[in-house]
Amino acid sequence: MELDDYDEEHEQEIISRKGYKLKDLAKSFIQSLGETGPVASGKLIHYSADMVTSGGLQLWEKLCWDYAFEHIGVASPRIFHFLHRKFRELNELSAKVPFETFCKKKEIQEQLSEIVLIMQDCPKKTKPKMPSVPPDTHKNETWLRSVLRTTDKKAV
């Protein structure tokens, strides 16, 4: 099949075990990470479990890393060490056992829940305030002339 003959109608959408489209599942997961409260935590655990049991462990890890870099950042720098350690443990366990056994292990389910709940409770970095310039600086000709003139400097 040629690239020009590609038809989007024939594209097969990836559906999770619970029937979510992958794009919607990822969007809902990220949205739930930013919310607080017991309902948001429940949704977060549900979306995590659905994504991982549908074979999206690597995608789930990438979404967690992206969220940590974009929303947590320097507000809680220890989260990166925590994520690195936990993801390494999860990847080692997933390589040792069959996929179905991996998903059914209670310790895996607890680790997945622990990771997302800690990320949800981490302090978020604040957005920097954009500096504002008062209108009297750029509308005043005397100010502009004073800026253009340099003062004499002594050579060191």
Side-chain angles (χ1 to χ4, degrees), residues 53-71:
T53 58
S54 298
L57 178 64
Q58 300 302 320
L59 173 65
W60 179 79
E61 288 180 8
K62 183 185 180 324
L63 290 174
C64 288
W65 278 118
D66 290 347
Y67 184 84
F69 281 120
E70 188 173 329
H71 297 285

Side-chain angles (χ1 to χ4, degrees), residues 1-15:
M1 180 184 238
E2 295 283 330
L3 186 60
D4 297 331
D5 297 337
Y6 180 74
D7 188 7
E8 289 185 16
E9 292 177 11
H10 294 95
E11 181 180 344
Q12 196 174 23
E13 293 236 10
I14 299 174
I15 305 293

Side-chain angles (χ1 to χ4, degrees), residues 60 83 86-87 90 111-119:
W60 179 79
L83 289 177
K86 287 294 187 177
F87 290 159
L90 283 174
Q111 282 188 3
L112 295 174
S113 300
E114 178 187 14
I115 291 168
V116 293
L117 292 176
I118 287 176
M119 286 182 63

Side-chain angles (χ1 to χ4, degrees), residues 78-90:
R78 295 185 312 179
I79 190 70
F80 300 108
H81 175 67
F82 172 76
L83 289 177
H84 177 69
R85 187 177 43 125
K86 287 294 187 177
F87 290 159
R88 186 180 62 229
E89 291 173 9
L90 283 174

Side-chain angles (χ1 to χ4, degrees), residues 142-154:
T142 57
W143 179 84
L144 184 61
R145 286 186 189 143
S146 67
V147 172
L148 293 176
R149 294 183 191 142
T150 60
T151 58
D152 294 334
K153 305 281 182 182
K154 291 184 178 180

